[in-house]
Structures are given as C-alpha cells and as structure tokens.
Amino acid sequence: MENETVAYPMPRIGDPAPEFKAVTTQGNINFPGDYKGSWVILFSHPADFTPVCTSEFITFAAMEEKFAQANTKLVGLSVDGLYSHIAWLRTIKEKIEYRGMKNVEVKFPLIEDITMEVARKYGMIQPGESSTKAVRAVFVVDPKGIIRTIIYYPLSLGRNFEELYRIIIALQTADAFNIATPADWQPGDDVIVPPAGSCGVAKDRMEGKEDMHCYDWFFCTKKLDKDTVLKTVLQKK
Ligand code: BEZ
C-alpha cells in the first residue's frame, strides 16, 4: 500500500481548486486557502535549468507587478527540489539577460514537488508527453478558490504571458459587468450581452439602445470603454 499512487480526477473549470500544502521558495503555503480574496495563476514548468522554462520565468517575473495590480498572485511548480529551485532562480537573477530583462528576481513562490503529489492532483503529469516532468499547465483560480480557466501546453511550447494577463482582465470584466468577451477581445473592444448561454431575449431587449449592436437574435454587443474596464479591474484589490 505504501508506494501505491492515488489516481486523481482531472480538475475541471468550475471545480474548487484541489487543496494542498507545499514547501516553496517563499516558505510553506496552504493552497488555495492562503490566497482567498486574490486571483491566482498556479502554473507548472517541466524542469529547472532548462531554456524554455528560463525564458518563461524571466518573462512572468518581469510582469509580476502588472498581475499584482489586477489582484493576481503567481505560484509556480515543478517536480524539482527546493535547492534546485533556489540555485536556478539565483542563476536567472545573476547571469541571464533575456530580451532586455536582466537582474530579474523571482519573488513569487515556486513549489517543490518531488513526490509529484501536487502535479498529479492538477493533471500536470501527462505520460504521453512525459511521465517524469510536469507539462506547462496554467490554472486560473478566482478569489473564492474556484478554477476559472485551465490551459495545458506541451514541453516544447513557451507560453504567451500577455494572453494570461488578457485572461485575468477578461474574467474579471465578465464577472463585474455580467457580459462575455468575444474572440481576441481586449479592454476597450465591444463586449457580448447577455453572457453566452443565455441568448434569445437579447435582440428585442437591446435593439435601439445606445451603444448596442445586434448581428442577429443570438449575437448582440455593447460598448464598454477601456477606462471603465481598467478602473474596475485594477482597483479591485
Ligand atoms: C525547456 O524548458 O527548454 C524544456 C524543458 C523540458 C523539456 C523540453 C524543453
């Protein structure tokens, strides 16, 4: 029984984030309990001291303050140990300059998960890709501890961190204004009313109203200016 591996279900959007306690480069954490009231991006990378992961960490760490302004904390994970994490983050700070970013200090916690217990809870070990490394997973968890977005990338593909920022802004905008966001939405672009999934009454209700446009009975948009979005999202701490 001792070495038996527990099989966890794959986490899903709308589920409470699976709970865990872990050792990190910033001390012990209790997830998601310690993060109540904040949005969190919990993400995994395959291994310390590897090139794609290094480019990702430098990029994400350089954006940490931007995420903080949107009430969003970052938490990293790999199946490496704490001393490997510490040595890698020190190397990043002291030696690596990438795309003009240098002396980058990773201040957010990086979880050690040598038993792969957390990685398995979050479906980060995908044996078709690797059974010894976590894939590049991204979990966006809201202030109530609910998973709101999940993305998995393969080992070879570095993430687009501007897209992760867009996801945070879009989710918070959808919550605050009860709207949905169309393809490639950016703050300042028109938003969809009513939220996807409750269409039908939109066209009659919206037609003729200022700032509304209906493409058809199931597809109506309205204006939502950039300042209103950013003021709402960036001040809600
Ligand atoms: C990388 O970060 O470069 C990497 C890590 C594991 C497998 C492939 C690439």
Side-chain angles (χ1 to χ4, degrees), residues 55-115:
S55 69
E56 290 193 316
F57 260 68
I58 292 177
T59 307
F60 222 2
M63 293 172 73
E64 189 177 4
E65 181 51 35
K66 186 170 163 173
F67 280 96
Q69 283 170 10
N71 190 26
T72 302
K73 294 182 173 156
L74 312 179
V75 180
L77 174 150
S78 81
V79 301
D80 299 291
L82 186 63
Y83 295 105
S84 164
H85 285 345
I86 291 168
W88 180 48
L89 299 187
R90 188 184 302 144
T91 303
I92 285 177
K93 180 166 164 39
E94 292 176 358
K95 296 198 179 149
I96 312 280
E97 176 173 355
Y98 175 69
R99 289 190 161 174
M101 294 174 275
K102 60 178 179 183
N103 297 319
V104 174
E105 194 171 341
V106 175
K107 296 182 189 139
F108 56 79
L110 175 49
I111 294 168
E112 82 156 359
D113 190 29
I114 42 184
T115 63

Side-chain angles (χ1 to χ4, degrees), residues 46 50-53 133 136 155:
T50 52
V52 178
C53 303
K133 296 177 173 65
R136 299 181 198 281
L155 303 186

Side-chain angles (χ1 to χ4, degrees), residues 10 119 122-135 137 152-153:
M10 286 295 275
Y122 276 82
M124 293 165 173
I125 303 298
Q126 304 199 0
E129 182 72 348
S130 172
S131 48
T132 56
K133 296 177 173 65
V135 295
Y152 293 109
Y153 297 72

